[in-house]
């Protein structure tokens, strides 16, 4: 799977990032997301694969494209036999976030990117549209920190694993009212807090790379993005754990204003989740034998530069991670829209 579609999934996220970047700073997050969805879907439907969206833009009635359950790829078309032998191809599950950090893109802030994760059928946890408590940390702390410990305990363990004083550690937390106590505890323990408004996939990913000055991600975010983060962290050998959150009083968000704890528990039960308090490891959220992760910067971030347009083209920076080849490749690409372009402008 790595050899067959590795390069093509880079092009999928590149096309989504370029489309979304054209709406960067225009204040329209819906359009920034929609054009990314369109571009990602169009490019995926040019790939010789049998793909199924397991994490997407929502249920079919809510999302006309890249909805959960949608089939993508040339070999899912009614006339697929003209292009390939569908029976010879591995069925793959795909988790997508065409514009991760739509607000970041819409308002020209750093950290927005187009992301996806791929594995063989059944290899990605089909996370419900719920919230998830998350803990991400560098490879050196894998299996040592634990989401069930307090933030203070985890910071002490992280300090030992990384051979750093606690006051040298930086923890990323989303700026939400539900995190006020967590933020205070981290600060009281002596560590530093970097607040973000959106985009916790990028924050989780940054924990696995030295030199980013990000040492942990803590707090509650969206569950689907947790699966995508887990796919990347599993491939990188980093630590990631997630636990579904179903109590509106904990989430403290207006989106759940009319939902109840009991109603959410019933919804999880219908989704086949019998233990709502289960702590999921990265290897459970992304359990496939082969897992691929790809991302392309829309706006500048910790790991990748954003899309840069120039006369006749654009330049992108992407990252593709594979459990099969055990690699993390940064890809710098010049896209030549104008075929008459006489020279590559490297800036």
């Amino acid at each position: 799977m790595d050899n067959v579609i590795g390069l093509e999934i880079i092009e999928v996220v590149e096309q989504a990032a370029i489309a979304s970047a054209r709406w960067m700073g225009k204040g329209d997050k819906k359009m920034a997301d929609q054009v990314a969805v369109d571009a990602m879907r169009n490019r995926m439907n040019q790939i010789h694969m049998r793909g199924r969206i397991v994490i997407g833009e929502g249920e079919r009635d809510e999302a006309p494209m890249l909805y959960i359950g949608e089939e993508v790829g040339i070999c899912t078309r009614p006339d697929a036999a003209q292009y390939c032998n569908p029976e010879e191809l591995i069925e793959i599950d795909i988790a997508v976030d065409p514009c991760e950090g739509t607000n970041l893109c819409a308002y020209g802030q750093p950290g927005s990117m187009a992301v996806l994760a791929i594995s063989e059928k059944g290899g990605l946890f089909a996370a419900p549209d719920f919230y998830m408590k998350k803990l991400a940390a560098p490879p050196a702390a894998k299996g040592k920190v634990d989401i069930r410990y307090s933030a203070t305990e985890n910071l002490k363990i992280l300090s030992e694993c990384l051979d750093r004083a606690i006051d040298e550690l930086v923890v990323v937390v989303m700026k939400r009212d539900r995190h006020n106590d967590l933020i205070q505890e981290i600060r009281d323990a002596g560590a530093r807090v970097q607040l973000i408004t959106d985009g916790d996939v990028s924050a989780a990913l940054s924990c696995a790379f030295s030199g980013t000055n990000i040492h942990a991600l803590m707090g509650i975010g969206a569950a689907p993005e947790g699966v995508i983060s887990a796919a990347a962290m599993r491939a990188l050998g980093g630590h990631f754990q997630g636990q579904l959150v179903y109590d509106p009083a904990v989430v403290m968000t207006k989106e759940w204003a009319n939902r109840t704890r009991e109603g959410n528990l019933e919804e999880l039960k219908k989704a086949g989740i019998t233990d709502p308090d289960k702590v999921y490891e990265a290897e459970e959220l992304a359990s496939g034998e082969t897992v691929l992760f790809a991302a392309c910067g829309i706006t500048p971030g910790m790991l990748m530069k954003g899309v840069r347009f120039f006369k006749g083209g654009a330049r992108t920076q992407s990252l593709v991670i594979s459990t099969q080849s055990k690699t993390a490749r940064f890809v710098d690409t010049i896209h030549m829209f104008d075929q008459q372009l006489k020279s590559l402008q490297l800036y």
Side-chain angles (χ1 to χ4, degrees):
M1 185 168 67
D2 190 358
N3 296 332
V4 175
I5 62 174
L7 176 60
E8 292 193 282
I9 66 167
I10 297 176
E11 293 182 357
V12 170
V13 292
E14 286 174 344
Q15 292 305 310
I18 290 170
S20 194
R22 294 188 183 279
W23 288 85
M24 188 277 290
K26 294 186 176 182
D28 190 340
K29 67 177 185 178
K30 288 185 178 179
M31 186 57 72
D33 185 54
Q34 185 60 59
V35 295
V37 170
D38 294 344
M40 183 173 277
R41 183 175 185 264
N42 289 341
R43 184 63 185 89
M44 281 199 287
N45 279 328
Q46 297 171 26
I47 302 175
H48 281 75
M49 67 176 182
R50 298 172 64 192
R52 179 175 65 109
I53 303 297
V54 295
I55 290 176
E57 293 294 287
E59 301 295 334
R60 181 169 187 165
D61 292 341
E62 302 168 3
M65 294 183 181
L66 293 181
Y67 57 83
I68 297 169
E70 181 177 357
E71 294 186 337
V72 292
I74 288 178
C75 300
T76 63
R77 292 166 43 165
D79 59 348
Q82 297 181 29
Y83 304 94
C84 57
N85 183 352
E87 300 307 317
E88 293 180 353
L89 295 176
I90 299 172
E91 291 184 80
I92 60 175
D93 285 351
I94 307 171
V96 302
D97 195 344
C99 181
E100 212 264 327
T102 52
N103 283 319
L104 301 177
C105 177
Y107 300 110
Q109 297 171 338
S112 180
M113 58 186 186
V115 297
L116 62 78
I118 289 179
S119 187
E120 62 269 14
K121 187 176 181 180
L124 296 174
F125 178 63
D129 190 14
F130 267 61
Y131 288 88
M132 178 181 280
K133 183 180 179 182
K134 307 172 188 179
L135 174 63
K142 182 174 174 59
K144 297 175 183 176
V145 292
D146 194 288
I147 201 168
R148 287 160 286 214
Y149 299 163
S150 69
T152 303
E153 291 175 287
N154 280 323
L155 287 169
K156 289 177 181 177
I157 296 169
L158 198 56
S159 172
E160 295 170 1
C161 291
L162 300 180
D163 193 24
R164 287 172 174 260
I166 291 179
D167 64 6
E168 295 175 341
L169 301 177
V170 176
V171 181
V172 173
V173 182
M174 293 189 77
K175 189 177 181 181
R176 301 288 189 271
D177 289 343
R178 60 177 173 261
H179 291 147
N180 289 343
D181 290 343
L182 172 62
I183 292 167
Q184 191 59 52
E185 181 181 353
I186 293 170
R187 288 171 173 165
D188 289 344
R192 295 170 291 164
V193 176
Q194 181 172 322
L195 295 175
I196 59 172
T197 57
D198 296 279
D200 64 355
V201 175
S202 177
L205 199 60
S206 296
C207 296
F209 290 89
S210 61
T212 62
N213 200 39
I214 301 298
H215 307 107
L217 166 71
M218 296 182 184
I220 297 170
E225 282 80 354
V227 176
I228 296 174
S229 298
M233 293 299 275
R234 180 196 154 187
L236 291 167
H239 181 95
F240 188 89
Q241 291 174 298
Q243 184 178 37
L244 294 173
V245 180
Y246 48 81
D247 190 343
V250 173
V251 173
M252 297 173 64
T253 178
K254 62 182 180 180
E255 285 76 17
W256 274 18
N258 297 319
R259 299 178 71 160
T260 65
R261 184 177 184 275
E262 293 71 24
N264 284 339
L265 283 169
E266 185 62 29
E267 192 173 328
L268 290 176
K269 188 176 180 180
K270 289 179 181 177
I273 297 173
T274 56
D275 182 3
D277 296 310
K278 177 180 172 61
V279 172
Y280 295 91
E281 306 291 334
E283 292 76 12
E284 294 173 296
L285 295 171
S287 61
E289 182 178 344
T290 301
V291 176
L292 296 176
F293 170 91
C296 182
I298 298 173
T299 58
M302 282 286 182
L303 296 172
M304 296 167 289
K305 294 181 179 179
V307 178
R308 288 144 291 159
F309 293 101
F310 55 83
K311 184 178 180 180
R315 188 173 184 177
T316 60
Q317 197 165 50
S318 306
L319 169 64
V320 59
I321 308 167
S322 167
T323 59
Q324 185 174 331
S325 60
K326 295 181 173 59
T327 55
R329 292 187 175 96
F330 287 91
V331 181
D332 201 343
T333 306
I334 300 291
H335 303 263
M336 293 170 281
F337 308 145
D338 185 351
Q339 295 301 314
Q340 302 303 313
L341 197 63
K342 293 184 171 61
S343 63
L344 299 182
Q345 301 181 46
L346 302 180
Y347 52 73

